[in-house]
Amino acid sequence: MNITRKWKVGVVGATGMVGQRFLTLLDNHPWFTPAALLASARSAGKKYPEAVGNKWAMSRPIPSYAADMTVLDAEKDAESLVGKIDFVFCAVNMKKEEIKALEERYAKLEIPVVSNNSAHRGTKDVPMIIPEINPEHLDVIAAQKKRLGTKRGFIAVKSNCSLQSYVPLLHPLLSFGVKSAAVCTYQAISGAGKTFDTMPEIVDNIIPYIGGEEEKSEREPLKIWGSVQNGEIVNANAPVITAQCLRVPVTDGHTAAAFVSFERKPKKEDILSAWKNFTGEPQKLNLPSAPKQFIHYLEEDNRPQPKLDRMTENGMAVCAGRLREDTLFDYKFVGCSHNTLRGAAGGAVLLAELLAAKGYFD
């Protein structure tokens, strides 16, 4: 897609791990120009390198454009951004009700919000988008604007990071009548905003509980597979999903062991073909962050592995492997995705590109 204009962007929560990832992804982005970095009151007024201090967790240095930017107060300075930026990314560590209020405040200031937070994922007129899967849910934004009383302000969210390792693999199989699925996710420490230095308890260990994660893993796919009806998203009522989520000693990359049963059991080659041929709106529009091939199937018995496969197509593709018949379910397979790229900041940037291409920031 040939777009020549640039949109000015703010990053709310710029000092956190996902915020840092946003900064790296916005460096030389062809459509988006970082114009404001916002964080908590304790960071406000400081140059970005001073505000982030020794918390910078990316493998590459702080982007040069951010080195001289002064961090603004995400709450007190919101009004000062009116007319100066086109939209914001939001990835903050606050209580759920505080996040909901903050995001609605920006929206009501006519500043659209592309959110990495979970606070509004259950709001019926807020679309929760995996761009390749449910771009039609953007239609609900018109009803949301009516509720908020805005002309261009709205909130759109991306789904939970762990979903990216299995929902994109189940989605192309829905035509075979996916009846039920069981999934166990093995989630990287960056999903908790941690490194091995800041999470020593994970070394040589697995933690079999991540607060709220299993509920999200079971519930959020049904919203993604739902439909827009009368100004709200009505969840699908199938398939039934059960999940367990474990934190494992991996820096980046969530892995899922998935089991699935069908109304009409397909052949193995039908599943492989469905994965290989699946494409979505981002590929059709050739969005800047979109992977050319959304799903990559790896033939080796010991793949996918986070260390080897998380950066497939700049971390924006989903990898699958080990597809085989199961004794209890019809099939089982393993999925893997990069949790802070496809699963967090990268997925939000791709969503913003979709919104821009569809005219939602005009």
Side-chain angles (χ1 to χ4, degrees):
M1 192 166 190
N2 187 23
I3 289 182
T4 56
R5 69 162 291 184
K6 287 260 192 174
W7 287 269
K8 293 180 179 179
V9 183
V11 179
V12 182
T15 58
M17 186 173 283
V18 176
Q20 293 173 28
R21 183 68 79 180
F22 275 125
L23 265 62
T24 65
L25 294 174
L26 292 172
D27 194 13
N28 296 314
H29 190 281
W31 295 2
F32 303 147
T33 301
L37 305 180
L38 303 102
S40 64
R42 64 178 176 272
S43 297
K46 300 176 182 177
K47 296 294 185 183
Y48 183 78
E50 180 189 358
V52 77
N54 61 5
K55 295 184 297 180
W56 183 257
M58 301 294 104
S59 58
R60 52 171 289 189
I62 294 172
S64 57
Y65 74 82
D68 200 44
M69 292 182 74
T70 299
V71 177
L72 303 177
D73 188 316
E75 298 189 82
K76 291 183 180 178
D77 293 327
E79 281 80 2
S80 70
L81 300 176
V82 175
K84 297 178 181 177
I85 60 173
D86 295 301
F87 71 95
V88 294
F89 291 111
C90 189
V92 294
N93 184 17
M94 299 163 63
K95 294 177 181 176
K96 182 176 180 178
E97 292 307 314
E98 293 173 345
I99 295 172
K100 291 179 80 169
L102 182 69
E103 292 182 345
E104 287 205 0
R105 181 177 168 200
Y106 276 85
K108 287 177 179 178
L109 288 170
E110 302 293 359
I111 300 172
V113 178
V114 180
S115 178
N116 188 72
N117 304 304
S118 65
H120 271 295
R121 288 182 195 155
T123 306
K124 290 186 179 296
D125 60 7
V126 171
M128 179 172 65
I129 303 290
I130 297 178
E132 284 85 352
I133 293 178
N134 62 331
E136 70 279 2
H137 283 195
L138 296 179
D139 291 347
V140 83
I141 287 174
Q144 185 196 142
K145 287 179 178 178
K146 188 174 181 180
R147 172 175 64 87
L148 295 174
T150 60
K151 292 183 178 179
R152 71 182 300 272
F154 63 88
I155 302 160
V157 303
K158 53 158 294 298
S159 63
N160 194 41
C161 56
S162 66
L163 269 63
Q164 319 302 317
S165 58
Y166 63 94
V167 169
L169 302 178
L170 291 174
H171 182 73
L173 309 182
L174 293 181
S175 61
F176 303 117
V178 175
K179 186 168 55 176
S180 59
V183 62
C184 190
T185 59
Y186 304 88
Q187 301 187 203
I189 59 176
S190 57
K194 301 290 187 179
T195 64
F196 285 120
D197 288 338
T198 58
M199 197 178 185
E201 67 273 22
I202 198 66
V203 177
D204 191 31
N205 198 19
I206 287 174
I207 299 173
Y209 174 72
I210 306 171
E213 201 77 357
E214 289 160 359
E215 293 84 356
K216 295 173 189 173
S217 299
E218 294 170 356
R219 185 176 63 244
E220 288 187 13
L222 298 179
K223 182 172 182 179
I224 292 166
W225 288 323
S227 59
V228 177
Q229 300 178 28
N230 300 317
E232 63 181 40
I233 297 166
V234 178
N235 288 6
N237 53 25
V240 175
I241 297 176
T242 184
Q244 290 202 99
C245 302
L246 291 75
R247 188 74 69 195
V248 296
V250 172
T251 53
D252 294 302
H254 288 354
T255 301
F259 304 77
V260 57
S261 287
F262 298 92
E263 300 286 352
R264 300 171 299 282
K265 183 179 177 180
K267 296 177 181 178
K268 180 178 177 180
E269 51 265 36
D270 293 334
I271 294 176
L272 294 176
S273 177
W275 285 343
K276 181 179 180 180
N277 295 319
F278 182 75
T279 190
E281 198 78 351
Q283 287 72 38
K284 294 170 186 173
L285 295 172
N286 196 27
L287 299 179
S289 299
K292 301 300 181 188
Q293 178 74 33
F294 184 34
I295 297 170
H296 290 244
Y297 186 78
L298 307 173
E299 298 283 353
E300 299 91 334
D301 288 338
N302 63 349
R303 303 282 285 278
Q305 297 179 27
K307 195 170 185 177
L308 299 178
D309 302 311
R310 60 194 170 205
M311 287 305 298
T312 302
E313 299 219 35
N314 298 313
M316 290 299 289
V318 178
C319 292
R322 303 206 68 213
L323 175 65
R324 59 222 192 274
E325 292 194 43
D326 185 58
T327 54
L328 183 61
F329 290 78
D330 288 331
Y331 286 95
K332 53 193 169 189
F333 58 84
V334 176
C336 182
S337 65
H338 197 302
N339 58 297
T340 67
L341 286 169
R342 168 55 74 165
V349 171
L350 184 61
L351 169 54
E353 291 168 0
L354 179 66
L355 288 161
K358 298 285 189 181
Y360 282 91
F361 298 145
D362 294 342

